[in-house]
């Protein structure tokens, strides 16, 4: 065995998935602070690497190209980051991302359509550019809910304030680590 083969691969402490407005970035940052680990948000990483905004990539290159870039970033982050990771809300719509999440500790931050939409209604999310963004939000969330649940080991009620949501994740993490269900 070579020296590098003996080094265990790094693995994120926790990965947060959920729809836009679930609070993945805010809660993820708080959670990372509390655990004393780094935080990475895959949307920010896409912007950092490409030097472009997410709406620009969607509008100029299309959703499919955005998903390709996103899948590359997610694969790199899962392989190299050992802190807390927040995935963009649509990352789980890519099969390769779902497969890659299999080996990880994934938390689904669940919010209702009303609460989630209230948090993002003033934002420039390209997928909500519509005559009726509230209805678009509701329909997309309904379409994806099952997928979020299927990739996550634990569902977290994300309606509370971000500190309280981070507490729920810490409790769930402690449970998992104590039970030794995941490493
Ligand atoms: C998207 C969610 C966004 C961002 C992009 C597409 C989606 O991330 O990746 O606008 O398809 O749900 P957030 O969940 O961080 O808003």
């Amino acid at each position: 065995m070579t020296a590098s083969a003996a080094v265990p691969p790094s693995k994120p402490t926790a990965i947060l998935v959920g729809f836009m407005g679930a609070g993945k970035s805010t809660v993820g940052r708080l959670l990372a602070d509390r655990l004393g680990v780094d935080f990475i948000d895959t949307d920010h990483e896409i912007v950092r690497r490409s030097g472009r905004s997410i709406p620009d990539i969607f509008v100029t290159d299309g959703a499919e190209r955005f998903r390709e870039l996103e899948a590359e970033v997610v694969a790199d982050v899962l392989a190299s980051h050992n802190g807390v990771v927040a995935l963009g809300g649509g990352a789980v719509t890519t099969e390769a991302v779902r497969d890659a999440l299999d080996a990880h500790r994934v938390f689904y931050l669940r919010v209702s359509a009303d609460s989630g939409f209230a948090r993002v209604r003033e934002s420039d999310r390209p997928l909500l550019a519509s005559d009726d963004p509230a209805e678009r939000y509701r329909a997309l969330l309904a379409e994806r809910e099952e997928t979020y649940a299927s990739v996550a080991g634990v569902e977290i009620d994300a309606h509370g304030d971000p500190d309280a949501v981070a507490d729920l994740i810490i409790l769930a993490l402690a449970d998992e680590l104590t039970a030794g269900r995941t490493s």
Side-chain angles (χ1 to χ4, degrees):
M1 190 190 279
T2 64
S4 61
V7 178
S10 65
K11 185 168 174 171
T13 308
I15 299 171
L16 311 185
V17 301
F19 201 40
M20 298 177 256
K24 302 178 297 288
S25 305
T26 309
V27 170
R29 203 166 284 115
L30 282 170
L31 179 65
D33 275 356
R34 303 259 290 272
L35 296 173
V37 297
D38 289 334
F39 171 69
I40 195 163
D41 176 318
T42 58
D43 280 344
H44 290 173
E45 188 58 15
I46 293 167
V47 170
R48 194 187 66 78
R49 287 190 192 189
S50 66
R52 299 167 64 194
S53 71
I54 304 248
D56 176 40
I57 301 172
F58 260 90
V59 171
T60 310
D61 301 354
E64 209 173 310
R65 179 65 191 137
F66 175 77
R67 294 301 171 207
E68 284 171 9
L69 289 173
E70 181 176 54
E72 283 166 25
V73 165
V74 172
D76 289 352
V77 166
L78 294 188
S80 62
H81 186 78
N82 54 16
V84 174
V85 179
L87 295 195
V92 298
T93 62
T94 302
E95 188 179 5
V97 170
R98 294 195 298 276
D99 290 347
L101 289 175
D102 252 3
H104 290 279
R105 219 178 276 125
V106 182
F107 296 85
Y108 169 24
L109 270 55
R110 184 191 278 281
V111 277
S112 67
D114 286 346
S115 311
F117 182 67
R119 293 174 182 169
V120 297
R121 60 185 314 152
E122 304 297 340
S123 76
D124 62 352
R125 305 293 205 285
L127 287 182
L128 298 180
S130 146
D131 288 345
D132 188 348
E135 180 47 36
R136 175 102 178 105
Y137 185 98
R138 188 177 304 281
L140 258 183
L141 173 59
E143 196 178 300
R144 290 190 186 159
E145 258 169 344
E146 220 176 289
T147 308
Y148 294 129
S150 75
V151 298
V154 180
E155 287 186 23
I156 300 288
D157 180 337
H159 291 97
D161 79 83
D163 264 311
V165 178
D167 279 342
L168 293 176
I169 299 174
I170 287 175
L171 285 175
L173 261 175
D175 257 9
E176 292 218 356
L177 295 174
T178 311
R181 286 200 295 269
T182 58
S183 53

